[in-house]
Amino acid sequence: MFPLPDLPYAYDALQPAMSERTLHFHHDKHHAGYVKKLNALMEKSGERAGSLEEVVRKAAAKGKEGAALFNNAAQAWNHAFFWECMSPRKTEPSGRLADAIGEAYGSIGKLGETFAADGTAHFGSGWVWLTSDKGGKVSIETTHDARDLLSEPEHAPLLVCDLWEHAYYLDRQNDREGFLKTWIADLANWDFAGRQYEAARGGGQVWRYPAAMAHAA
């Protein structure tokens, strides 16, 4: 049984950029719902739980046959990663990640503009990511619905922001652009992104979803 990870901060810690009400609904209802459905699907199929990353990759490889499991497993993973990508304390890129951002976008301000613009232009639900390739070049990618980057080794995820309306509607109604501009400027956890960047280049372990727990007898 995969756990629902606790938030890495208090529910009111991201205010005013993200309200306590939004975090309660998003984490306790939406994220919890994906984890509950994931565990039910795993139990029904009798599939043994390895890492969630492994579950996502195997389900993706099955195509339509694995769609239900993929959607819930990937959304469970995406949301847990998303919580780590936010910080109550304003941070800034540093070190080799800052250099890579400068090389690709000219400045953190320009990256923020592009991140918000690409996420706003994305049609429908999904996610907007800051990624790194194996050579250390950073880029912004968007994915539809539950799709993540776990099955795409050419893209190592550094940061992600949720584009589904439940991420921002209680606070901003349909203003996705305003949400994304505030998110990248005030909430993005660049310390976490920097660790992900170094890990992707061989300097440690990338973030992983908490391990499955044994089913109680």
Side-chain angles (χ1 to χ4, degrees):
M1 301 289 287
F2 286 103
L4 171 67
D6 292 335
L7 293 175
Y9 30 73
Y11 284 95
D12 63 355
L14 304 183
Q15 295 183 135
M18 186 176 291
S19 71
E20 179 179 1
R21 185 175 180 228
T22 285
L23 275 177
H24 271 294
F25 272 94
H26 200 168
H27 177 268
D28 301 355
K29 303 295 185 181
H30 290 283
H31 191 187
Y34 289 122
V35 174
K36 182 178 180 179
K37 290 175 185 176
L38 161 66
N39 286 325
L41 287 166
M42 296 283 291
E43 187 170 7
K44 182 178 179 180
S45 68
E47 185 171 343
R48 294 183 63 84
S51 68
L52 185 57
E53 291 80 5
E54 179 184 1
V55 173
V56 171
R57 292 186 181 107
K58 285 184 175 180
K62 292 180 179 179
K64 290 184 179 180
E65 180 185 346
L69 181 58
F70 172 80
N71 286 336
N72 287 284
Q75 284 290 78
W77 193 94
N78 290 351
H79 279 87
F81 189 81
F82 175 56
W83 308 136
E84 299 292 337
C85 290
M86 295 186 286
S87 172
R89 177 179 59 84
K90 189 173 177 62
T91 60
E92 297 289 342
S94 61
R96 293 202 295 177
L97 176 57
D99 294 340
I101 290 171
E103 183 175 341
Y105 292 96
S107 67
I108 180 59
K110 184 62 177 176
L111 178 141
E113 292 174 10
T114 306
F115 188 92
D118 287 4
T120 301
H122 181 84
F123 184 77
S125 300
W127 302 82
V128 56
W129 308 78
L130 178 65
T131 75
S132 170
D133 67 14
K134 292 180 180 179
K137 182 178 180 180
V138 297
S139 64
I140 295 165
E141 310 289 337
T142 62
T143 59
H144 286 290
D145 300 327
R147 186 177 141 233
D148 52 29
L149 303 176
L150 292 176
S151 301
E152 302 177 23
E154 68 274 19
H155 294 301
L158 309 181
L159 287 176
V160 72
C161 187
D162 194 341
L163 300 179
W164 291 63
E165 283 195 338
H166 61 242
Y168 57 88
Y169 201 81
L170 290 177
D171 295 336
R172 294 181 171 270
Q173 304 304 303
N174 64 336
D175 183 14
R176 181 191 283 182
E177 181 180 17
F179 164 66
L180 288 169
K181 286 181 175 179
T182 298
W183 192 92
I184 195 67
D186 297 337
L187 294 181
N189 187 348
W190 290 107
D191 293 341
F192 176 75
R195 293 193 295 273
Q196 284 288 107
Y197 184 76
E198 292 302 324
R201 303 195 69 186
Q205 289 292 321
V206 296
W207 179 88
R208 296 174 68 84
Y209 194 92
M213 303 176 292
H215 201 313

